[in-house]
Every structure is written in C-alpha cells, then in structure tokens.
C-alpha cells in the first residue's frame, strides 16, 4: 500500500578515478540510474564528485575546469524526463574565481548551484589555496550552460507537486561550523538537508561525524543526508573511508560501511509528515525561525509528482516497545526508575504515608505493586507499610485470586482480603437493580465498591491509594468513572498496555524471590480482564477485554501515531496495514480503528479529571500536560474519514 507523506532519498558514492572526468561522469550516471530504478526522489553524491576532492593544484588547470563543465552539461541532460533529482559536486569557475560547488539537477535543468561556505585551511586542509568561499560571490544568479541559474547558500529547493519535499544543500566543513548554513535552511522550511563531503578518516572521527549529523537533524527536526568521498581519492597523506549517513530527527536511519573498495549506495524512506508535525508542535522551533529572518532564504520551486512506490520499511507494529532486546531492557530500566523516583517524591512530600493498593492478579496492579515495593526499598521503609488489598467479586477466578495472594506474600507486604459480593448485593437492593442483569450497572457497581474501600482504607491507615490504570485504558476510557479511574497517585498512567507486559517481565527477570518469579510468570500469561462478569462454567475468565474493546496492540498503534505525530486516519490506516499485514486484514484494522476514535473522543471527560501520575514517554494524556482537549468535542471528522476508507476498500 502506498502511504502518503514519504520521500525516498538516496546517497551514492561512486568509485572515482582522480582527474578522469569521463569515467567519473559515467560512474555518477550509473548510480543515478540505480536511484531512478529504486524510485528515489533524489540522490546525493560526494563533494567534488566529478573530479575527486584531492586534485590539489590541478584545480587551477583550465582543462580540468572545462571538462567539469562539460560533465555538468551531460549530467543535466541525463536527468531530462526523469523523476529523480541529482545533487553532485564539482569545481566551477565564476567571475575569475573557483568555487567548490554542489549542483542540483532535475528534468534537464540546473535548479541551483550551492558553493561551499567554510573552507578549512588548518592541519591537513588547504582549501583556500584553490577555492573562494561562498561569501565572495557578488551575484545571486549566474549564466551557465545557457541557463540563468540561482547561486548561493540561501537556496531551498521546494516541491510544488504532490509531496512536501524541500531541501537545502551545504558542503562538508559547513556542518563543522558553529552555525552551519543548514541551520538557516532548516529553520526556513527545508525538511531534508544534504551534505556533499570529503572527510578523511582518523581514529574516532567517524563517531564525531555521526554525532554531528544526528545532532543537526535533531536540532532542526529534519532529515540529514551526508555523503563522503571514499576509495579513489588520493592516499598520498590521507585516507577517505566513504562514510555515508542518513539521519532523521536525531536517529541514524541508514549508514554505509567505511573503507569499502567498491561503490556504495543506500536509500531510505523519510516520513516528511513526522518532521512537519514536530516543527508545528515546537514553539522553540517557531521562535528560532523568527530569529533567523536576518538571513532570508530563497525558495527554488520544482514540480515532482508523487511516485507510486510503496515504502520499503516494515513499520514496527509496537511503536512503544523497542524491538531490540538490549534497548528494550534499557527502556524498561529507565521507565521503572522514573516511576519509582516519582512515587518516592510523592510519598516523601506527604510525610511518608502508607501505600494502599488494590491487587487483582492482573498485569496493571502487579506493575503498580512492583513499583511501590521498589520505592519503599529505595526509601528504606518497611514493606509492611504497603497494604495490598484483594477484593474478590462476582467475576474473580481462582487463578487471579491465588496469584494476587501469593504475590503479596512473596513480596512480604501487608495483606487484606475484603470480599465485595455481599456489599455489592446490598447496593443492588438499595438501587433496585436486578443482580441477574449483567449490564454496565452490574459491572461498575463492583468497580466503585472496590475504589470506595481503598479510599476509606487510606483514611483508616493514613495512606494514599496507588492507582493502577495504564495509558491504553485511559485512551479508550476503559475504566469506571470514579471507580478504578480514580486514585491518589497513578504510577502507570503513562505506560501503554503493550509495554506493561515487558516491564513486569523485566522485573521478573531481576526479581530475587523464586516464588515471586513463578507467580509473575503466570500473571504474564493471564488474559487481560476486569473480571466483573461471572466466570465460565469451568471457572475460567469469561470477560476478556480485547474481545470486547479490541486488541491493545492495535489501539496502542493508533494512539501513538495520532498523538505523537498528529497523523490522519488515512495515514494511520496505511501504516497499520503495513505493520500488521500478516495478522489482521484491512477490514479488521478499520473496524477497531473506528472503535478507537469513538471511544477516544467520547471518554475525554475521564481524562480531564485524572489524578497525578508521572510522564515517562513522548505521549501523555494528562490534562495538565500533553493533552488539552474539550470533553465535548466530536470525533465526526475523523470517523467520516474512516467511513470513506471503508467504502474505498470494499
């Protein structure tokens, strides 16, 4: 499926033959044609691709300059009628000076020329011996190959066609400067930044180079393409490793091997919508953008239709959970530390009260209990000041009941068991409700009875009620208002359901008690359920949440892309089809997406009255923090788009 908002970008490093412009031009064409076959929107080449970077005093030779211009003409003509933009490096003689330039070629035209701003002349570098820097240019356009061509470091190349692709160009040392030209380009609209480079290799230099590229992409909320010269450059005194990097908003998306004796080529799909959203969302970016107006960039338009390619990346179906086991372990450790540190502060501020927590034998209350136990250990407090309360009701199964009791015993906390059936039955009499009618009143009466007990116990024992509800439940409103929706501090309020399981598993692995490990293992394999309906005839859980409200992995996926990047239902649907193609069909994805949007808008009133809880990730539903929306806003706009998707997929 084609997904809107992506641009495919490529980086190509040909094998150069120093001074053999004919051979180099053919190598450039070969890589360009490969990018064309891969439906790339643009391909970036290294600094001085046409000649090689290490030509030294030969740059002053007229023959070299003349043939470089001929190569430019040939490369420009080669792009005629083709979809892919070519960005290539070469020396150009302009007004009796030589400039180290990047040329942007498309559809048989030179869209613009970008000269290098900062010419290193220190240590092994001697660039001012051969080149003039960009600031020496007197004109903003030049006559070249019978074209009037914009020239300067202030050019932003902007697509006027179907995609939001816009890019700026800088050259090698420009990135090393305190304020690179790409800073202004990025602040004034360029989503993709390109660097033609010839960076020699030294011990640890690649790490620094990588950090520069990733850092610049993060600061400007952009993609950054870096392409450096490699094999073929002179090794008289230096070695060039051919390091190529594609970064997106601080993350390295793709990277070449260094020191390859062969040409290198790599490409990546960049989600432009993500970058646009982050810029819109950041007032810091807007303020810096205003301050950058002292250096105004020129927009150079080109028209590039959106190609019919499918994105090459497999979308991760679990965006909240790192797929790499080492990163996942680090993420769990950090989240657990945030939770325990936050709870420690709250307990310390109140005056070290006891902690009251309802234990059901399910994942959420288990995680909340583990956080509370760790917090008390950090504060060097007796675990007996944690009062775990199990409150079996009409739907409690032996499995969850026993797991709740055994886990509390294994963790050495104070245990209270308060059955709620008698109190709820009396409540049914009081409100004249038929106990055989298993409706929402039947369910919520149990949830509110449990919360009332916990609140009253907090008064009795001088404690605070620790909330157990997670981020996914809050997004869907899958909580009883003034029931399990309410607490005095919600330690799980920013943890999505898909991550809760991994956190409990991580604690289990690191848990010293063998008995606790065994219980946690069984809890991890227990179906998610509020257990508010009577068990099946064989004593198993009858009410499985995901059969009623939908798979949490889908809802977490919708939540992530809706709130983190503001994506439309159409784009989220396309991403979901890609991510879950072997698990859910398109109709199932649409049906549960409709449930998600309906519940997300209808249940905002619950999120508007949330108790405090620590933010741990980029998505938080706190009305005091990341999500401010009216409780009575309609979701009709989003639901109508889902209906259109359903009609178009039939």
């Amino acid at each position: 499926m084609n997904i809107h908002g992506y641009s495919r970008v490529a980086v190509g490093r040909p094998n150069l033959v120093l001074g053999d412009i004919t051979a180099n031009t053919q190598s450039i064409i070969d890589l360009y044609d490969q990018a064309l076959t891969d439906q790339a929107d643009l391909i970036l080449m290294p600094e001085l691709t046409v000649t090689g970077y290490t030509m030294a005093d030969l740059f002053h030779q007229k023959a070299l300059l003349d043939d470089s211009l001929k190569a430019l003409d040939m490369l420009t003509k080669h792009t005629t009628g083709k979809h892919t933009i070519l960005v290539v490096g070469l020396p150009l003689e302009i007004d009796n000076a030589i400039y180290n330039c990047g040329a942007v070629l498309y559809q048989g035209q030179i869209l613009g020329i970008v000269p290098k701003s900062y010419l290193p002349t220190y240590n092994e570098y001697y660039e001012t011996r051969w080149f003039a820097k960009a600031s020496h240019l007197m004109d903003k356009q030049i006559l070249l190959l019978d074209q009037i061509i914009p020239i300067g470091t202030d050019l932003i190349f902007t697509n006027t066609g179907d995609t939001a692709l816009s890019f700026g160009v800088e050259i090698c040392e420009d990135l090393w400067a305190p304020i690179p030209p790409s800073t202004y380009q990025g602040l004034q609209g360029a989503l993709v930044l390109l660097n033609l480079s010839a960076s020699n290799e030294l011990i640890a230099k690649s790490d620094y180079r990588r950090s520069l590229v990733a850092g610049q992409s993060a600061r400007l909320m952009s993609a950054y393409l870096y392409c450096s010269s490699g094999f073929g450059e002179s090794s008289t005194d230096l070695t060039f490793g051919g390091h190529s990097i594609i970064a997106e908003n601080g993350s390295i998306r793709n990277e070449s091997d260094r020191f390859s004796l062969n040409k290198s080529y790599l490409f990546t799909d960049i989600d432009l919508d993500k970058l646009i959203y982050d810029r819109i969302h950041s007032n810091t970016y807007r303020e810096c953008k205003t301050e950058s107006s002292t250096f105004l960039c020129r927009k150079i338009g080109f028209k590039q239709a959106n190609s019919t390619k499918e994105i090459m990346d497999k979308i991760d179906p679990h965006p909240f959970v790192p797929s790499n086991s080492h990163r996942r372990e680090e993420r769990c450790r950090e989240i657990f530390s945030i939770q325990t540190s936050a709870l420690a502060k709250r307990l310390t501020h109140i005056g070290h009260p006891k902690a009251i927590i309802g234990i059901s034998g399910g994942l959420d209350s288990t995680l909340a209990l583990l956080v509370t136990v760790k917090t008390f250990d950090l504060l060097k407090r007796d675990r007996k000041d944690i009062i775990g309360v199990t409150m079996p009701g009409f739907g409690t199964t032996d499995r969850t009941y026993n797991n709740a009791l055994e886990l509390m015993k294994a963790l050495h906390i104070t245990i209270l068991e308060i059955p709620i059936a008698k109190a709820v039955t009396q409540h049914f009499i009081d409100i004249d409700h038929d106990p055989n009618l298993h409706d929402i009143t039947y369910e919520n009466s149990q949830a509110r009875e449990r919360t009332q007990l916990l609140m009253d116990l907090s008064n009795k024992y001088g404690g605070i009620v620790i909330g157990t509800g997670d981020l996914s439940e809050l997004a869907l409103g899958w909580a009883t208002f003034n029931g399990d929706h309410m607490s005095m501090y919600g330690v799980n309020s920013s943890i999505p359901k898909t991550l809760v399981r991994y956190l409990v598993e991580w604690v289990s692995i690191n848990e010293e008690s063998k008995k606790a490990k065994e219980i946690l293992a069984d809890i991890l394999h227990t179906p998610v359920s509020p257990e508010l309906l009577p068990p099946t005839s064989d004593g198993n859980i009858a009410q499985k949440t995901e059969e009623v409200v939908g798979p949490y992995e889908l809802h977490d996926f919708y939540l992530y892309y809706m709130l983190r990047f503001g994506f439309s239902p159409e784009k989220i649907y396309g991403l979901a089809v890609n991510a879950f193609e072997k698990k859910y069909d398109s109709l199932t994805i649409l049906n549960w997406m409709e449930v998600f949007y309906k519940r997300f808008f209808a249940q905002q009133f619950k999120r508007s009255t949330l108790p405090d809880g620590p933010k741990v990730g980029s998505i938080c539903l706190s009305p005091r923090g990341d999500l401010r929306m009216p409780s009575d806003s309609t979701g009709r706009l989003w639901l109508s788009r889902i209906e259109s998707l359903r009609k178009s997929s039939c």
Side-chain angles (χ1 to χ4, degrees), residues 398-417:
D398 290 343
R399 180 181 186 179
T400 54
Y401 170 73
N402 289 327
N403 279 340
L405 285 175
E406 293 303 316
L407 181 62
M408 289 189 285
K409 289 177 184 177
L411 295 175
H412 307 293
I413 69 169
T414 298
I415 303 171
L416 291 181
E417 181 178 344

Side-chain angles (χ1 to χ4, degrees), residues 377-392:
D377 290 348
L378 286 172
L379 293 172
K380 295 181 170 46
R381 291 187 55 187
D382 189 344
R383 289 187 182 184
K384 290 297 181 180
D385 282 345
I386 303 171
I387 302 174
V389 189
T390 182
M391 296 165 281

Side-chain angles (χ1 to χ4, degrees), residues 26-270:
Q26 186 57 54
S27 296
I28 292 166
I29 288 173
D30 291 343
L31 280 172
Y32 174 83
D33 289 347
Q34 185 172 346
L36 193 65
T37 300
D38 290 329
Q39 297 181 297
D41 295 318
L42 66 81
I43 180 168
L44 172 69
M45 302 278 180
E47 183 176 6
L48 296 166
T49 332
V50 168
T51 60
Y53 174 77
T54 50
M55 293 297 291
D57 286 354
L58 295 177
F59 283 122
H60 288 163
Q61 293 292 311
K62 181 172 174 53
L64 186 82
L65 296 172
D66 287 348
D67 276 19
S68 294
L69 194 57
K70 290 177 184 177
L72 179 61
D73 188 36
M74 182 183 296
L75 292 170
T76 302
K77 289 174 179 174
H78 187 75
T79 65
T80 302
K82 298 181 175 70
H83 173 81
T84 304
I85 297 166
L86 171 61
V87 183
V88 66
L90 75 164
L92 285 175
E93 189 271 317
I94 302 168
D95 293 336
N96 305 314
I98 304 171
Y99 292 85
N100 180 346
C101 296
V104 180
L105 316 178
Y106 181 60
Q107 294 284 359
Q109 288 189 307
I110 304 172
L111 295 182
I113 300 289
V114 180
K116 190 170 183 177
S117 294
Y118 299 101
L119 305 178
T121 307
Y122 57 83
N123 296 339
E124 63 265 42
Y125 299 110
Y126 299 91
E127 287 193 30
T128 54
R129 180 181 176 95
W130 312 299
F131 302 117
K133 58 184 181 179
S135 60
H136 291 175
L137 280 169
M138 303 299 292
D139 300 313
K140 291 186 175 293
Q141 57 186 26
I142 58 172
L143 176 62
L144 194 67
L145 298 175
D146 298 323
Q147 295 184 47
I148 301 294
I149 302 167
I151 188 168
T153 61
D154 58 345
L155 305 183
I156 297 177
F157 302 89
T158 304
N159 187 16
T160 59
D162 297 335
T163 69
L165 176 63
S166 60
F167 63 91
V169 178
E170 63 185 5
I171 302 176
C172 200
E173 183 78 6
D174 293 349
L175 176 60
W176 268 254
I179 306 178
S182 59
T183 299
Y184 296 106
Q185 296 163 2
L187 286 172
Q188 295 184 39
L191 290 167
V192 180
L193 304 168
L194 312 179
N195 188 307
L196 306 88
S197 182
S199 181
N200 62 304
E201 297 299 334
L202 301 170
I203 294 172
K205 188 176 182 180
S206 62
D207 292 336
Y208 184 62
R209 187 187 296 126
R210 193 179 294 111
S211 68
L212 280 176
V213 171
Q216 187 71 342
S217 74
R219 280 188 295 274
L220 294 168
M221 289 172 275
S222 68
Y224 198 102
L225 278 61
Y226 180 92
C227 184
S228 184
S229 297
F231 187 74
E233 293 287 0
S234 173
S235 60
T236 302
D237 290 301
L238 308 174
T239 299
F240 293 83
H243 198 184
S244 295
I245 307 168
I246 300 177
E248 182 181 6
N249 203 2
S251 298
I252 303 297
R253 292 291 311 282
N254 208 340
E255 185 174 5
S256 69
D257 293 330
R258 294 182 297 143
F259 307 112
S260 171
L261 303 187
N262 300 313
K263 67 180 181 181
S264 70
Y265 170 81
L266 50 93
F267 66 95
T268 298
D269 291 325
I270 298 295

